[in-house]
Amino acid sequence: MNFSAYLKKNIVYLDGGMGTLLQERGLTVGERPERWNLTHAETITEIHKAYFDAGSNVVCTNTFGANALKFSETELEEIIKAAFENAKTARAQSIAPQEKFVALDIGPSGKLLRPYGDLDFEDAVALFAKTVRLGVKYGADLILIETMNDSYETKAALLAAKENCDLPVLVSNAYGEDGKLMTGATPAAMVAMLEGLGVDALGANCSLGPKQLRGVVEELLENASVPVLLKPNAGLPRSVDGKTVFDVTAEEFSDEVAALIQKGVRVVGGCCGTTPEYIRMLAEKAKEYTPVPVLDKNITVVSSYTHAVKFGDSPVLIGERINPTGKKRFKQALKENDINYILSEGVEQQERGVHVLDVNVGLPEIDEPEMLKTVVCELQAVIDLPLQIDTSDIAAMEIALRRYNGKAVVNSVNGKKESMEAVFPLAKKYGGVVVALTLDENGIPENAGGRVEIAEKILKTAERYGIEKKNIVFDTLAMTISADTSAATATLTALKRIKNELGCRTSLGVSNVSFGLPNRDAVNSTFFALALENGLSAAIMNPYSADMMKTYYTYKALKGLDENCSEYIEKAASFAAVVSAPITIEPTNAEAFKSELQRAVIKGFKEKAGAITKELLNSVPPLEIVNQEIIPALNVVGEGFEKKTVYLPQLLMSAEAAKSAFEEIKSAVAGEGSKSVQKATFVIATVQGDIHDIGKNIVKLLLENYGFDVVDLGKDVPIERIVETVVERRAPLVGLSALMTTTVPAMEETIKRLRIAAPWSKIVVGGAVLTQEYADKIGADKYAKDAMETVRFAERAFGKFSRKGLSPQGNKLDE
């Protein structure tokens, strides 16, 4: 039986942890676990066999970190070949009766993708593709992509798998205590994106124990139409006599996971700290369970890198302003490659309350595919709204959908054969909710019946491409009533019939109805109200229109979609103040921020922050700009990050904007011959054996913005080098990072050596596998759960050094 067939009818048991078992068997500090496939093949085979014997249906190869960033191409192939030989030998040796499969295990690259890091999306796809092709070559039955904490890297890995094999692909993400990925994605957002890309099962693993992941699992089950996977840790780690142990027993673990199987989880296993005994007890407890059927949730949904937006009872507002049609200034921005203007339009519409942004950059005189890719990527760097990719250029549509971080709205397809043949394959491959225009080779039918017939034709064709009805949203085409007074009635009738008879969601470009008439807002807002009452799901509209926004909030209040009328009451006072779209380049609501520079830093406008700072330096002292403008802005973003109202990508883009401002200040100070003031020296490194430097790089960027002299030693840094650098620089602050349980011993040993050689230093540690208790056990001064906590610790420590009369290097200030 192949894996896909087995998954449809059975509960699937995966294996458990590998790293902790290798540590027990002698994996040394700095040693890479994947090499044990070659050097300790019998040990790896023994562990795999133990999992099969315990009841695992799927054993994952010891290839979690096997990629071309870590190993040469020759060694990578040797490792993956040996990994499959070991797993297959274990399968042959095990006499356990259950069905058995071998999965290619793929973990994260350890790098953050652009624009937040230095790894390009296509390079990430190519990196994972090499591993996938080798897995296929040596006999994988399926692929498990796991422990991904960034939605964009998850997409790159899944695309690499889908483009290089036809095997079943399971994807599991690492969610934090807040129920989100490191880069901000909710479980619902990940379901939207992964299902759109054609994943076979999805879920959560690592980071936390089964009890802490219950909320994440429940959200996955609520939204997913594919099987849900759960592979939790054995609770939280701690150090006992130099060994890593976990706080959830096999009995407790199996009870919790078995209960979630009864709620609908279909694929189960364990991550860090779990052993064959955990899997044995789980399989025993759930052996009589009947799998809960996996049902199609029939949700029409799009997503950004942080959240999902569902098309349902509450209307979805799609901002129309990123479009050159009828906008002279926007056309100029496109021709001049003025990305800042386009980003300002996006941010302004987000602040006005839209849920999705339409993005159209179509001009004959520009390279539309390249411009659309740029604008989509740049917009996603500064806002977290889902985007509607609006283009008739198929090449532009594909590159934008490929690069988009989430599940987009695709605008549009129509009933013409050539349109459906071009658009539907892209929608099937990359996912998306497709806006379908009710026109075909014969044009736009004048009556509602003709438009409904075209909708039916589109649905039948979409089905042949494997695109479900829930992923089609129909636009029944608002036509100007100045040319035909019956046009609005035909549009509304078609809209109502499509909703009621075909069971589909709908969308309209509302403002088309008033073309050629005076006082267009009055016509648009009334038509909007009529359309909503006839079942409109989403409106492409002008959020600067007071009349349109009044209609939206009033409709929600009247339809019982606004609990206690709270939104209406909140917005009512501002309705009169909402003005028509500004004709100036800059957004009109800078008064919400203390200055334009603070706004640029908070919103992540890198170029703008630098330009404003350069201008300010003509009249304001550099130190005043730093203390009164930049640091307060960073604090606003940092506090939002700590409160979980701002997510990592926004934090990083703000930091980049601040960095741009600091560069201007440094240039000015250097020109004056002055010396810039820096705080303490901070030595930072990812410990020996660990190549994951995402967290370290984020901390570095923020510390530099707060004025610290950061010495970045990189990743996989030998203990001796860290100690030597701290002593040489007499650094008072040290930061150590580790992602994997197998590399935490290197962190502990580094701390021991630092305590002897550099007793003055304060040491902060961080990483997914650490806790406060664990940090205390290995002798750290501070456990920081995120980058901002490290900054706060460094600020406090620097203050203590200053009060003791010490310089940033730990020397007396008068030396």
Side-chain angles (χ1 to χ4, degrees), residues 124 156 214 335 340 361 415 432 459 496 502 644 650 678 708 783 801-802:
R214 177 180 287 268
K335 292 175 184 176
N340 277 334
V361 297
L459 285 177
K496 187 173 185 177
L502 303 185
K644 305 300 181 184
Q650 297 153 288
Q678 280 192 317
F708 288 89
Y783 160 66
F801 279 114
S802 299

Side-chain angles (χ1 to χ4, degrees), residues 612-625 629 668 672:
I612 294 171
T613 302
K614 189 173 184 178
E615 182 67 27
L616 279 176
L617 284 165
N618 293 324
S619 57
V620 181
L623 200 57
E624 185 176 327
I625 296 174
E629 299 278 356
E672 294 171 1

Side-chain angles (χ1 to χ4, degrees), residues 400-435:
L401 287 174
R402 187 175 180 85
R403 290 280 182 151
Y404 181 72
N405 188 358
K407 180 183 178 184
V409 185
V410 182
N411 191 13
S412 58
V413 74
N414 61 56
K416 295 179 182 178
K417 184 172 182 286
E418 63 181 21
S419 173
M420 293 186 285
E421 288 177 347
V423 174
F424 282 152
L426 297 183
K428 178 61 178 174
K429 178 175 181 178
Y430 297 108
V433 168
V434 183
V435 176

Side-chain angles (χ1 to χ4, degrees), residues 76-136:
L76 180 64
E77 179 158 6
E78 290 174 350
I79 285 171
I80 292 177
K81 179 182 179 182
F84 276 94
E85 289 173 351
N86 296 335
K88 288 180 178 180
T89 298
R91 178 169 60 183
Q93 291 177 354
S94 174
I95 60 172
Q98 77 276 7
E99 292 282 343
K100 303 182 188 73
F101 307 94
V102 175
L104 171 67
D105 192 41
I106 296 178
S109 67
K111 287 187 168 290
L112 205 55
L113 273 61
R114 290 177 184 158
Y116 317 117
D118 58 3
L119 184 63
D120 183 74
F121 178 79
E122 291 299 344
D123 290 339
V125 174
L127 177 75
F128 290 118
K130 288 180 181 178
T131 301
V132 169
R133 286 193 291 269
L134 289 171
V136 173

Side-chain angles (χ1 to χ4, degrees), residues 548-670:
M548 289 291 288
M549 298 309 289
K550 285 178 186 176
T551 298
Y552 169 72
Y553 288 110
T554 303
Y555 175 83
K556 285 189 67 178
L558 291 170
K559 295 293 285 187
L561 302 172
D562 180 6
E563 189 173 355
N564 299 322
C565 299
S566 56
E567 281 188 277
Y568 179 84
I569 292 168
E570 179 187 347
K571 301 292 182 181
S574 63
F575 284 154
V578 180
V579 296
S580 59
I583 58 173
T584 54
I585 295 177
E586 305 301 334
T588 60
N589 64 345
E591 67 273 10
F593 303 89
K594 290 187 177 179
S595 71
E596 275 298 309
L597 178 54
Q598 286 198 22
R599 185 179 198 275
V601 171
I602 290 169
K603 291 297 181 183
F605 292 152
K606 183 177 176 181
E607 292 180 13
K608 192 172 179 181
I612 294 171
T613 302
K614 189 173 184 178
E615 182 67 27
L616 279 176
L617 284 165
N618 293 324
S619 57
V620 181
L623 200 57
E624 185 176 327
I625 296 174
V626 172
N627 292 331
Q628 301 300 318
E629 299 278 356
I630 301 173
I631 295 300
L634 284 172
N635 283 336
V636 169
V637 179
E639 288 166 10
F641 180 73
E642 290 167 331
K643 294 175 182 175
K644 305 300 181 184
T645 58
V646 168
Y647 300 107
L648 181 62
Q650 297 153 288
L651 180 72
L652 292 178
M653 295 313 296
S654 293
E656 288 290 351
K659 186 177 179 181
S660 178
F662 276 123
E663 290 300 324
E664 294 295 338
I665 290 170
K666 287 178 184 176
S667 297
V669 169

Side-chain angles (χ1 to χ4, degrees), residues 19-20 22-24 26-31 238-239 241-245 687-690 719 736-753 769-770 774 778:
T20 43
L22 293 185
Q23 283 180 313
E24 290 176 3
L27 183 74
T28 60
V29 170
E31 195 175 6
R238 63 182 189 274
S239 181
D241 299 328
K243 292 184 178 180
T244 302
V245 298
V687 298
Q688 187 171 6
D690 203 317
I719 295 170
L736 302 175
S737 174
L739 177 75
M740 302 182 297
T741 52
T742 53
T743 56
V744 173
M747 180 180 280
E748 184 173 9
E749 183 61 27
T750 304
I751 292 172
K752 286 179 182 176
R753 304 260 194 103
V769 296
L770 294 173
Y774 206 158
I778 64 177

